């Protein structure tokens, strides 16, 4: 059973434990999260100039639209202000900033009506982040940047939280993937030609769990939840922020979601930085994730773009 908590007051330890059991938490907009959404909207508005960012896809040739995103997304991801605002969101959540680590926040765009088909294909694809070498302790946050509606958001398939889904994650190694992705990016190969883990049998997505938070409202969930996106037919481009956290005390204690079907190798653990001062993940923690595949390629994910399968 998946319980959904709305503005439930728990300690951070209690909330993480509930998240690892598959509970989902919704938070009404609060100042830090709203400031983060405002910052994202300001960068988006600057990038699109005179155009309405939610409707710009109707005014621009797709190549030009892609070039706007190609500048906008890395700017948001790597902007020092993004990390500061993310830290404030975690402080607002009651997280211990010395023990909580985050990876860089992503700005996602889901265009309407198949305008950018390469992104849509993977956006719809049901997946667990843990199929992509995310730690079993990973917690995800998701927040809309502009108003959304039920036909244009992310969805959950909660029955699969603790039910195995036959999948191709055994063929995925994080370090190999990083190495190949960089090569693909430099040769302008479409990102979506990369084989990404997915189900090999039909998944019942007929009764998805859908939340429609307001701008600045947060959804927090385990990276083990099977989730996907609704194909956008609203005429407006959806924009959202997402980011991930891990708590090193939980890693050391072996706490996290139960693994029911994850068979990938390697780990994204090095991508996480300490919330308090952006220090790298301690090597003693990284060492806990060694599985003998560390020599297969680049150990760290480079955020040149946004891999579609991870949100
Ligand atoms: Fe994801």
């Amino acid at each position: 059973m998946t319980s959904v908590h709305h503005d439930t007051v728990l300690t951070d330890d209690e909330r993480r434990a509930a998240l690892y059991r598959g509970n989902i938490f919704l938070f009404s907009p609060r100042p830090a999260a709203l400031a983060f959404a405002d910052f994202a909207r300001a960068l988006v508005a600057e990038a699109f100039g005179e155009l309405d960012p939610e409707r710009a896809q109707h005014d621009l040739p797709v190549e030009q639209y892609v070039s706007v995103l190609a500048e906008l997304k890395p700017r948001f991801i790597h902007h020092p202000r993004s990390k500061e605002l993310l830290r404030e969101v975690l402080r607002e959540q009651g997280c211990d900033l010395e023990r909580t680590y985050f990876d860089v926040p992503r700005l996602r765009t889901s265009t309407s009506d198949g305008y950018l088909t390469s992104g849509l294909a993977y956006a719809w694809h049901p997946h667990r982040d843990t199929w992509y070498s995310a730690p079993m302790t990973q917690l995800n946050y998701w927040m809309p940047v502009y108003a959304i509606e039920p036909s244009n958001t992310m969805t959950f398939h909660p029955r699969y939280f603790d039910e195995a889904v036959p999948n191709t994650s055994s063929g995925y190694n994080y370090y190999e993937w990083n190495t190949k992705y960089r090569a693909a990016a430099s040769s302008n190969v479409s990102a979506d030609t990369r084989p990404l883990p997915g189900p090999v049998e039909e998944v019942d997505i007929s009764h998805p769990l859908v939340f429609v938070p307001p701008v600045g409202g947060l959804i927090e969930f385990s990276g083990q939840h099977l989730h996907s996106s609704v194909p956008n037919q609203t005429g407006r481009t959806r924009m959202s922020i997402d980011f991930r956290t891990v708590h090193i005390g939980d890693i050391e204690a072996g706490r996290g979601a139960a693994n029911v079907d994850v068979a990938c190798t390697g780990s994204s653990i090095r991508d996480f930085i300490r919330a308090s001062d952006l220090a790298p993940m301690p090597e003693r923690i990284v060492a806990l994730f060694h599985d003998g595949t560390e020599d297969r390629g680049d150990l760290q994910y480079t955020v040149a773009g946004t891999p579609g399968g991870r949100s």
Side-chain angles (χ1 to χ4, degrees), residues 37-61:
D38 285 347
F39 176 70
R41 272 202 311 280
L43 287 191
V44 169
E46 199 179 313
F48 284 100
E50 298 293 305
L51 297 173
D52 173 351
E54 292 183 276
R55 300 193 177 276
Q57 65 169 90
H58 303 297
D59 300 313
L60 294 176

Side-chain angles (χ1 to χ4, degrees), residues 20 51 73 75 98 102 115 152 168 216 223 228-229 231 249 258 262 277:
Y20 299 147
L51 297 173
K73 290 189 174 186
R75 187 159 179 244
E98 296 298 323
F102 64 77
Y115 173 71
N152 181 21
T168 57
S228 61
S229 287
V262 176
D277 60 0

Side-chain angles (χ1 to χ4, degrees), residues 185-233:
S186 63
S187 59
N188 288 322
V189 176
S190 164
D192 288 352
T193 61
R194 291 167 292 143
L196 292 165
V200 291
E201 290 179 9
E202 194 165 346
V203 175
D204 179 9
I205 54 173
S206 59
H207 296 91
L209 182 56
V210 178
F211 302 112
V212 191
V215 171
L218 285 168
I219 307 174
E220 186 180 14
F221 58 98
S222 164
Q224 174 70 2
H225 259 298
L226 196 73
H227 55 284
S228 61
S229 287
V230 178
N232 183 353
Q233 305 291 336

Side-chain angles (χ1 to χ4, degrees), residues 127 129 140 227 309-311:
H127 69 280
D129 285 15
N140 293 23
H227 55 284
R310 297 185 74 209
S311 75

Side-chain angles (χ1 to χ4, degrees), residues 2-123:
T2 295
S3 302
V4 179
H5 299 251
H6 184 208
D7 290 340
T8 305
V9 178
L10 295 176
T11 66
D12 189 51
D13 288 349
E14 291 168 337
R15 190 175 77 250
R16 293 195 317 281
L19 286 156
Y20 299 147
R21 294 195 300 271
N23 289 196
I24 295 172
F25 284 72
L26 309 179
F27 297 95
S28 298
R30 288 182 288 177
L34 279 169
F36 202 8
D38 285 347
F39 176 70
R41 272 202 311 280
L43 287 191
V44 169
E46 199 179 313
F48 284 100
E50 298 293 305
L51 297 173
D52 173 351
E54 292 183 276
R55 300 193 177 276
Q57 65 169 90
H58 303 297
D59 300 313
L60 294 176
V62 70
E63 298 79 12
Q64 201 177 335
Y65 189 87
V66 168
S67 74
V68 171
L69 295 186
E71 275 197 30
L72 167 63
K73 290 189 174 186
R75 187 159 179 244
F76 173 80
I77 288 168
H78 298 297
H79 202 295
R81 188 72 184 132
S82 291
K83 294 189 186 72
E84 290 169 9
L85 288 162
L86 202 168
R87 175 192 296 145
E88 292 314 306
V89 171
L90 296 179
R91 195 193 305 278
E92 196 166 62
Q93 290 293 108
C95 298
D96 178 346
L97 302 184
E98 296 298 323
R99 310 268 279 164
T100 303
Y101 287 62
F102 64 77
D103 73 351
V104 289
R106 271 70 165 198
L107 178 66
R108 309 282 184 185
T109 46
S110 171
T111 58
S112 183
D113 303 298
Y115 173 71
L116 251 182
T117 50
S118 60
L120 276 182
Y122 277 114

